[in-house]
């Protein structure tokens, strides 16, 4: 070290100049070689960073990089990825933690309820991660702005204060029932062959969230080719591409290489412009109503946008048009995409388990009668369906649409169940892995609504921590949970009273449901055979 210091002190600008000049001459004559060397080392450094776990996280078991990457880019069904890669990685330690390189870089994943409870309840220690450059991705532009799912601290509390009254007042049960009757009309036109159940559920929930969310009728049930339905479906399909979910930079920096994704951005721009126009008109309508003293709808039937604007007028806070737009789009994710997937999984589980289907049907008939006509359940009746509610909970566990919660990031050095987690580490709670962990649930891959009988397995497991998490938990639990559950509680008994469900003989789902997607999953090309009961 001393010799090196002496050599450095002996150097002067005049002595270095010849060396610099010689280096520049070599660069001019050997430029291609220099560039190749720089590119090689650049690629090597990036490759090394991506494929090697950082030293600060090497004490945690790793989900192997290349098998995980292969699973993602080959669009493998998420349950296959879990069974082959993530669940085995989680079993390498009693704490159930593992690390993997995902959309947030090297991330700690949580698969045990004790650690999950700490992550979800200690929001000061585990705040939502910054969306960063994901704001320019398709999903980022759609929902990752200043909205409830992504804000922290005082900003989140201010928006929650406005949104809470809206969700408590909005429970459009009659709307859900009327849309279900409308959907049945479409079913009845297709009974000679298996119907595209998931496609129709997408249309049903799109109309539901459009009308209940901001009083806009997509008319998706009756006209699946309308410009707004096609536009919205294009956007949703592009969201579910796992390649862009795991590697957002492909979309933000290399979008020109992916023309379909680029076109989806064009469609999204038009969709967001429409939302802004709706917000503007809604403000004008409410202002006119205030002047005239007239209202057109009952409180329960007023859309969420109206109720949020009314909550602001009552002194609960104020949301800008931009904040309203992002929140409405976030509600779309919970009120449309996830609910349509969840109801499709429910139809699959009814068709695949005839004895469970019959038991649920008996309860629907006992509650609503067996008169040969459609009956819309009342708000009181929605609370009097113990077995159907058990079925819904098991469906959310066994085939939950969300496979993980939005990422958090450690605010300071901490530990999870005794495992050190450094500051600024992304942390994700794996919902699918918790719901299918053999060390938590008995025979977790079996569909069994009886788990949720009062005092049964689910109630006992709740003492361990967060074991049933389809909507998250803690302060940040999904604000649309009751809205989604109401949709399911209205639709399912009406469906069971009118139709018997079965899987077609050639169904790709004969052995188990085949999934699409990564963070949000859906059944792939789900066809269901329906037989009318009246």
């Amino acid at each position: 070290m001393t010799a090196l210091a002496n050599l450095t002190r002996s150097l002067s600008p005049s002595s270095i100049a010849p060396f610099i000049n010689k280096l520049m001459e070599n660069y001019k004559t050997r430029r291609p070689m220099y560039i190749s060397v720089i590119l090689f080392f650049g690629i090597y450094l990036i490759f090394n960073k991506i494929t090697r776990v950082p030293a600060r996280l090497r004490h945690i078991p790793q989900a192997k990089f290349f098998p995980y990457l292969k699973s993602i880019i080959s669009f493998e069904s998420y349950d296959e990825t879990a069974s082959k890669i993530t669940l085995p990685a989680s079993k390498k330690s009693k704490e159930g933690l593992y690390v993997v390189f995902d959309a947030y870089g090297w991330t700690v994943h949580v698969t045990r309820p004790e650690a999950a409870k700490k992550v979800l309840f200690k929001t000061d220690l585990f705040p939502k991660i910054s969306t960063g450059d994901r704001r320019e991705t398709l999903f980022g532009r759609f929902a990752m702005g200043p909205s409830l799912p992504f804000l922290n601290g005082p900003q989140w509390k201010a928006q929650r204060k406005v949104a809470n009254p809206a969700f408590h007042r909005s429970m459009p049960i009659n709307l859900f029932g009327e849309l279900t009757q409308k959907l049945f009309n479409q079913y009845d036109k297709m009974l000679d062959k298996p119907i595209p159940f998931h496609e129709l559920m997408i249309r049903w929930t799109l109309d539901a969230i459009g009308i209940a969310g901001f009083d806009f009728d997509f008319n998706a049930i009756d006209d699946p080719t309308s410009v707004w339905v096609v536009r919205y479906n294009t956007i949703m399909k592009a969201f579910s591409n796992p390649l862009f979910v795991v590697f957002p930079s492909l979309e933000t920096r290399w979008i020109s290489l992916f023309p379909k994704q680029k076109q989806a951005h064009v469609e999204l721009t038009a969709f967001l412009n429409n939302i802004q126009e709706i917000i503007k008109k809604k403000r004008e309508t409410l202002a006119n109503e205030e002047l005239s003293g007239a209202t057109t709808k009952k409180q329960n039937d007023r859309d969420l946008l109206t109720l949020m604007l009314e909550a602001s007028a009552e002194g609960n806070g104020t949301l800008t048009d931009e904040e309203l737009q992002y929140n409405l789009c976030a509600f779309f994710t919970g009120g449309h995409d996830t609910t349509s997937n969840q109801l499709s999984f429910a139809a699959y589980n009814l068709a695949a388990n005839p004895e469970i289907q019959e038991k649920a049907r008996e309860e629907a008939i006992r509650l609503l009668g067996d008169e040969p006509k459609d009956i819309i359940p009342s708000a009181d009746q929605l609370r009097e369906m113990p077995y159907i509610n058990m079925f819904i909970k098991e469906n959310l566990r066994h085939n939950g649409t969300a496979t993980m919660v939005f990422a958090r990031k450690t605010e300071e050095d901490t530990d999870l169940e005794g495992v050190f987690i450094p500051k600024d580490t992304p942390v994700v709670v794996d919902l699918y892995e918790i719901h299918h962990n053999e060390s938590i649930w008995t025979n977790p891959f079996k569909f069994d609504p009886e788990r949720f009988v009062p005092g049964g397995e689910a109630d006992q497991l709740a003492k361990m921590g967060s074991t049933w998490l389809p909507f998250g938990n803690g302060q940040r639990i999904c604000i649309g949970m009751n809205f989604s559950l109401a949709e399911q509680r209205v639709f399912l008994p009406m469906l069971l009273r009118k139709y018997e469900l079965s899987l077609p003989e050639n169904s790709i789902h004969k052995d188990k449901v085949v999934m699409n997607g990564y963070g949000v999953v859906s059944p792939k090309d789900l066809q269901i055979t329906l037989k009318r009961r009246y």
Side-chain angles (χ1 to χ4, degrees):
M1 291 295 294
T2 304
L4 180 61
N6 291 335
L7 176 62
T8 302
R9 281 193 294 270
S10 68
L11 294 175
S12 65
S14 58
S15 63
I16 293 176
F19 173 76
I20 297 296
N21 291 334
K22 184 68 175 177
L23 187 65
M24 292 303 296
E25 289 176 10
N26 286 338
Y27 175 74
K28 291 176 182 178
T29 58
R30 301 180 182 180
R31 184 176 180 181
M33 183 190 74
Y34 274 82
I35 292 174
S36 298
V37 170
I38 291 169
L39 283 174
F40 173 81
F41 279 105
I43 292 170
Y44 172 78
L45 290 172
I46 293 172
F47 180 82
N48 198 48
K49 181 179 180 180
I50 291 175
T51 59
R52 291 194 66 198
V53 181
R56 65 195 190 123
L57 297 176
R58 288 179 193 161
H59 59 290
I60 302 172
Q62 177 192 359
K64 293 182 179 179
F65 176 84
F66 288 106
Y68 185 76
L69 176 63
K70 179 183 176 183
S71 177
I72 297 302
I73 64 177
S74 62
F75 300 95
E76 193 168 43
S77 187
Y78 187 86
D79 59 330
E80 294 291 332
T81 303
S83 64
K84 292 192 304 186
I85 301 171
T86 58
L87 279 169
S90 72
K91 293 176 182 177
K92 293 179 182 178
S93 69
K94 62 182 178 62
E95 298 83 11
L97 304 181
Y98 70 92
V99 293
V100 71
F101 188 91
D102 60 17
Y104 306 99
W106 284 102
T107 303
V108 174
H109 284 245
V110 175
T111 66
R112 290 287 306 175
E114 303 88 347
K117 184 175 181 179
K118 182 175 181 179
V119 172
L120 296 175
F121 278 79
K122 291 188 175 294
T123 55
D124 55 337
L125 187 57
F126 296 94
K128 290 288 184 79
I129 199 167
S130 170
T131 56
D133 60 0
R134 293 174 190 81
R135 284 285 297 274
E136 297 306 313
T137 66
L138 198 68
F139 186 72
R141 291 182 58 212
F142 184 76
M144 282 186 170
S147 62
L148 280 168
F150 299 100
L151 291 173
N152 291 298
Q155 289 178 301
W156 172 80
K157 290 179 180 177
Q159 288 202 11
R160 187 85 180 201
K161 190 177 179 182
V162 176
N164 267 345
F167 274 91
H168 287 153
R169 295 170 184 171
S170 176
M171 198 51 63
I173 292 168
N174 285 333
L175 169 66
F176 300 153
E178 290 164 3
L179 291 175
T180 300
Q181 291 173 320
K182 196 174 179 181
L183 183 64
F184 288 171
N185 292 333
Q186 295 298 322
Y187 287 168
D188 290 343
K189 298 174 184 177
M190 307 178 183
L191 294 180
D192 58 329
K193 59 184 178 181
I195 67 166
F197 198 91
H198 183 230
E199 177 191 327
L200 286 161
M201 286 318 310
I202 290 172
R203 288 155 60 181
W204 184 87
T205 51
L206 183 55
D207 281 350
I209 193 60
I211 297 170
F214 46 86
D215 199 21
F216 182 84
D217 189 355
F218 285 92
N219 196 30
I221 294 173
D222 288 339
D223 185 9
T225 63
S226 73
V227 62
W228 287 110
V229 174
V230 172
R231 174 168 289 145
Y232 183 75
N233 287 339
T234 298
I235 296 166
M236 289 295 109
K237 186 177 180 180
F239 280 168
S240 63
N241 189 325
L243 191 63
F244 299 111
V245 174
V246 177
F247 301 107
S249 61
L250 291 178
E251 188 174 355
T252 56
R253 300 177 186 177
W254 308 96
I255 189 66
S256 60
L257 300 178
F258 305 96
K260 287 186 178 180
Q261 201 74 2
K262 188 175 182 179
Q263 181 58 35
H265 276 269
V266 174
E267 300 293 344
L268 177 60
T269 297
F271 181 84
L272 295 179
N273 288 340
N274 189 51
I275 294 289
Q276 281 295 326
E277 186 63 26
I278 289 170
I279 292 170
K280 178 183 176 182
K281 289 182 179 178
K282 183 65 69 174
R283 286 192 187 276
E284 292 172 356
T285 299
L286 290 179
N288 291 334
E289 283 186 1
E290 187 177 352
L291 288 173
S292 65
T295 57
T296 57
K297 289 187 177 181
K298 296 178 182 178
Q299 191 71 243
N300 278 353
D301 293 330
R302 291 167 81 76
D303 58 90
L304 290 170
L305 175 57
T306 295
L307 291 169
M308 284 193 291
L309 291 172
E310 289 178 344
S312 294
E314 292 167 3
N316 291 309
T318 302
L319 295 181
T320 66
D321 285 0
E322 180 191 28
E323 290 169 334
L324 285 167
Q325 171 199 297
Y326 278 114
N327 276 293
L328 287 175
C329 289
F331 300 158
F332 253 102
T333 304
H336 165 256
D337 194 32
T338 56
T339 303
S340 64
N341 296 343
Q342 207 61 63
L343 282 168
S344 298
F345 282 126
Y348 163 79
N349 283 312
L350 289 170
N353 299 279
E355 70 290 348
I356 292 174
Q357 179 183 163
E358 189 54 36
K359 194 169 181 178
R361 179 176 293 109
E362 289 172 1
E363 181 173 84
I365 291 171
R366 186 168 60 250
L367 186 68
L368 302 176
D370 205 12
E371 191 177 354
K373 67 176 185 178
D374 299 336
I375 304 292
I376 299 175
S378 68
D380 290 336
Q381 286 172 327
L382 295 186
R383 293 187 283 268
E384 297 173 9
M385 301 183 296
Y387 188 77
I388 292 175
N389 280 320
M390 287 161 55
F391 171 85
I392 290 172
K393 288 181 177 180
E394 175 66 348
N395 185 50
L396 285 161
R397 181 201 70 83
H398 191 266
N399 295 110
T401 293
T403 62
M404 59 192 74
V405 301
F406 288 123
R408 271 61 168 171
K409 181 174 268 192
T410 48
E411 192 70 10
E412 59 188 53
D413 289 351
T414 186
D415 74 83
L416 281 175
E417 297 303 300
V419 178
F420 174 71
I421 309 294
K423 180 182 178 181
D424 292 331
T425 299
V427 179
V428 166
V429 175
D430 283 351
L431 307 183
Y432 182 91
E433 283 77 357
I434 288 177
H435 290 161
H436 294 82
N437 193 323
E438 292 176 347
S439 67
I440 301 172
W441 296 90
T442 303
N443 197 2
F445 293 94
K446 178 184 178 182
F447 188 87
D448 181 12
E450 301 292 338
R451 300 178 195 275
F452 291 91
V453 69
E457 180 183 16
D459 282 352
Q460 295 300 316
L461 288 176
K463 300 173 185 176
M464 297 173 59
S466 297
T467 52
W468 186 75
L469 296 164
F471 299 99
N473 209 344
Q475 278 187 316
R476 305 303 297 262
I477 195 167
C478 175
I479 194 170
M481 177 178 72
N482 290 330
F483 187 93
S484 176
L485 288 174
E487 289 180 287
Q488 297 176 58
R489 288 167 179 160
V490 170
F491 179 82
L492 289 174
M494 293 182 70
L495 177 73
L496 286 161
R497 284 184 74 252
K498 187 158 189 174
Y499 302 99
E500 294 176 0
L501 296 77
S502 60
L503 292 173
E505 285 299 320
N506 61 347
S507 174
I508 64 172
H509 306 284
K510 271 292 183 182
D511 297 325
K512 65 174 184 175
V513 66
V514 180
M515 300 178 187
N516 270 331
Y518 173 73
V520 174
V521 294
S522 61
K524 181 179 180 179
D525 188 26
L526 179 65
Q527 308 282 318
I528 296 287
T529 299
L530 295 180
K531 179 182 176 182
R532 279 186 64 158
R533 296 185 66 252
Y534 62 82

